[in-house]
Amino acid sequence: MRKTLPFIVLLLLCLALFLWRTESREIRSRELFVTDVFVELKARGTRDATGEAFRRAVEEIRRVDARFGYKNSLITRLNENRSMKDREGYGLISRARSVREASAGSFSITLRPILEAWGFTESLPYRIPAPGEFHSWRQAPQDEGIVLKADGVTVEIPEGTGVDIGGLIEGYAGDRAREAMLSAGCDTGLITVGGEVVAFGDRTWKIGIKNPRGEGVLGVIPLKNRAIATSGDYERFFVEGGRRYCHILDPATGWPAQGLMSASVIADNCTLANAWAVALFVAGPDRLAHVLEKGGMDWVVVDRAGNISASPAMRGYFPAAGTAHGTQ
């Protein structure tokens, strides 16, 4: 009996180690709504470790929304007071400006007044704005009127200009959630915030590109240590006179962009992927494909006829090109 006792102890230790390693390799997930946005978190690790990572990620997503969302945020106060002093907000607006410049104006953060007129900020019901509302918005200074002071914290906007950074804030929330999970000791995970997805760690995840006019997906792409964001005309829209009007506006006109049903961009971080997906939806691949690929980004678009186009690295994942049936 004495001779077998050490063996039994060793066996129990090996079993405990095996069970711990098995548990630590498990992928755990949590789904919830945070500030009315669907959030899904996945992470590899023990129940305690992933639980803490999820807690920190949700806390960070809530923090980002409180600081930069539609209600009682720093952006709200910037629009009211024409000035803001905040290093984080300054950085976001600076990044938005860079995308605007690189996309030749296809991305804008000064659409707030005309978005409100369309009813896409929930302050008014959906409607087509009156000609005078378009005129008033065009008369006000747009993105070029935003002043970023050299101190790195002060942002000033002229009278009549309304800032809205909704075109990149979900992606930014995803990036910040990733950092929160990493800080909790989570080395591998997947974060979905609305339509934006962030992958990190040594695992390759399979991400489906949604069919914008039906059930299921058009294709499945691998995602490892990158992010993907999608802009589509199926998220917020209304139909009037047989025509679909979506919330993604062309900064050149203030009218909803009409060329595509969806646009996805894959980039190294989700903030840029989010902003560039909006720009691509507005401008289309003929104008922006070269810019995206030169910047190390991939892309996938579905046009109004249901035709699928993609960057070279993505084309092999969409054998059913042309099957997203285009309708208004």
Side-chain angles (χ1 to χ4, degrees), residues 11 39 63 100 127 146 191 201 218 240 244 246 262 290:
L11 183 62
V39 172
R63 184 194 70 83
R100 177 178 174 79
R127 64 187 179 88
I146 299 174
I191 299 161
L218 301 178
E240 186 168 319
R244 177 185 295 248
C246 77
S262 75
H290 175 71

Side-chain angles (χ1 to χ4, degrees), residues 11-276:
L11 183 62
L12 290 173
L13 287 173
C14 289
L15 179 61
L17 178 61
F18 171 77
L19 291 173
W20 179 82
R21 292 186 65 184
T22 300
E23 185 189 20
S24 69
R25 287 196 298 267
E26 285 187 20
I27 299 295
R28 304 180 190 280
S29 64
R30 181 174 298 173
E31 296 180 2
L32 66 162
F33 281 87
V34 181
T35 61
D36 296 326
V37 174
F38 174 74
V39 172
E40 182 177 20
L41 304 170
K42 296 187 177 188
R44 184 175 64 192
T46 64
R47 190 176 305 279
D48 288 345
T50 56
E52 175 63 14
F54 293 161
R55 185 191 68 77
R56 292 191 190 185
V58 171
E59 186 177 82
E60 188 64 7
I61 293 169
R62 286 192 172 122
R63 184 194 70 83
V64 169
D65 180 74
R67 286 177 65 79
F68 304 111
Y70 277 124
K71 298 176 183 178
N72 302 318
S73 69
L74 288 173
I75 301 303
T76 304
R77 291 192 285 276
L78 170 62
N79 288 331
E80 292 172 349
N81 304 325
R82 328 312 302 171
S83 179
M84 173 181 75
K85 288 185 180 291
D86 183 77
R87 191 171 301 278
E88 187 178 23
Y90 183 105
L92 281 170
I93 290 174
S94 179
R95 294 171 81 175
R97 171 174 285 182
S98 296
V99 174
R100 177 178 174 79
E101 292 173 353
S103 67
S106 299
F107 182 77
S108 171
I109 60 169
T110 56
L111 293 167
R112 180 61 185 247
I114 197 65
L115 280 166
E116 288 183 346
W118 279 99
F120 290 127
T121 64
E122 300 179 358
S123 57
L124 294 171
Y126 290 153
R127 64 187 179 88
I128 298 174
E133 292 172 297
F134 284 104
H135 177 76
S136 296
W137 166 70
R138 291 192 188 100
Q139 291 297 109
Q142 303 302 313
D143 293 63
E144 64 277 3
I146 299 174
V147 177
L148 296 172
K149 295 287 189 178
D151 61 4
V153 296
T154 304
V155 180
E156 295 178 351
I157 61 174
E159 191 68 34
T161 298
V163 170
D164 182 322
I165 60 173
L168 51 70
I169 201 62
E170 285 186 0
Y172 180 66
D175 285 336
R176 294 304 309 160
R178 174 189 57 197
E179 295 305 312
M181 291 175 70
L182 286 168
S183 74
C186 176
D187 62 1
T188 300
L190 188 75
I191 299 161
T192 300
V193 182
E196 330 310 342
V197 181
V198 185
F200 64 95
D202 61 8
R203 173 170 173 153
T204 299
W205 303 83
K206 303 298 183 183
I207 307 299
I209 302 294
K210 178 180 168 56
N211 184 340
R213 290 294 186 274
E215 299 297 322
V217 298
L218 301 178
V220 177
I221 66 168
L223 195 69
K224 180 179 179 180
N225 278 320
R226 299 187 85 190
I228 179 169
T230 299
S231 291
D233 68 357
Y234 52 86
E235 297 169 332
R236 276 183 287 159
F237 70 93
F238 66 96
V239 176
E240 186 168 319
R243 181 177 176 181
R244 177 185 295 248
Y245 297 94
C246 77
H247 75 291
I248 306 171
L249 306 185
D250 185 340
T253 65
W255 284 81
Q258 292 291 317
L260 301 175
M261 291 195 287
S262 75
S264 301
V265 170
I266 303 96
D268 289 339
N269 69 75
C270 205
T271 309
L272 284 180
N274 195 173
W276 276 106

